Amino acid sequence: MIRNRLSLSLCLISLFCLCSVACKAEKPKVDLQDGLWEITTIMKMPGMPMQMPPIKTTQCLSQDDLVPQTQQPDQPDQQCQISNMTIDRNTVSYDLICAGQGNTMKAHSSITYSQDRMEGNMTATMEPSNMTMSYTLSGKRIGDCSK
């Protein structure tokens, strides 16, 4: 009887320890220096007669905020939702759905960080027109973020 209680106690203590370790496990970190980043986005659209000029934006990125903002300055009412975000080593992948002005954009993006640099791409489809676009992203850390 005492042996069964001891075994049960050890089992419960082991289970508690395993749960404690699992609960304290942190989400994976990427090789990213927190700070102010300059991000250049180039959009390509099949059938477009001329290349769109690159768009440069600045944004604070950190381990807690790995996804560059997609808000377009000319679309202030656009609402975007990120889902299915995964981190594999230094690559962040995610799906994005943005809605605004009667259109919905569905996209998949992948960004790889390397300390103070980043490279990525996004493929998107605009509904209801079914128009496809591809984006190339590149970025570099340019300083600290003001608090």
Side-chain angles (χ1 to χ4, degrees):
M1 177 103 158
I2 293 175
R3 188 176 204 174
N4 286 344
R5 282 188 176 176
L6 183 58
S7 294
L8 180 61
S9 295
L10 287 174
C11 187
L12 288 174
I13 290 170
S14 297
L15 184 61
F16 175 75
C17 290
L18 284 174
C19 287
S20 296
V21 170
C23 292
K24 290 183 181 179
E26 294 183 21
K27 71 177 182 180
K29 294 192 181 233
V30 299
D31 187 16
L32 159 81
Q33 287 182 343
D34 293 0
L36 184 63
W37 285 66
E38 179 183 76
I39 300 164
T40 303
T41 305
I42 299 172
M43 180 181 82
K44 293 182 182 175
M45 194 177 331
M48 185 168 241
M50 59 187 233
Q51 177 71 37
M52 295 286 289
I55 299 170
K56 286 191 180 200
T57 59
T58 56
Q59 175 186 349
C60 289
L61 294 176
S62 69
Q63 294 292 334
D64 295 325
D65 189 13
L66 296 167
V67 177
Q69 293 182 14
T70 57
Q71 183 78 29
Q72 300 294 328
D74 61 339
Q75 297 178 1
D77 66 335
Q78 183 181 43
Q79 299 292 318
C80 296
Q81 297 292 320
I82 296 169
S83 63
N84 303 322
M85 183 157 73
T86 60
I87 298 173
D88 183 15
R89 296 188 183 128
N90 293 317
T91 301
V92 179
S93 299
Y94 58 93
D95 293 328
L96 181 70
I97 297 178
C98 298
Q101 300 180 351
N103 294 310
T104 301
M105 180 185 78
K106 294 182 179 180
H108 179 75
S109 185
S110 181
I111 299 169
T112 301
Y113 290 96
S114 178
Q115 295 182 4
D116 60 353
R117 302 264 178 218
M118 61 94 90
E119 299 287 331
N121 59 62
M122 178 188 297
T123 54
T125 302
M126 187 70 75
E127 295 176 356
S129 65
N130 211 30
M131 179 176 18
T132 60
M133 296 160 278
S134 63
Y135 298 85
T136 302
L137 297 92
S138 61
K140 61 183 178 181
R141 186 180 185 279
I142 57 173
D144 294 329
C145 291
S146 58
K147 304 220 179 206

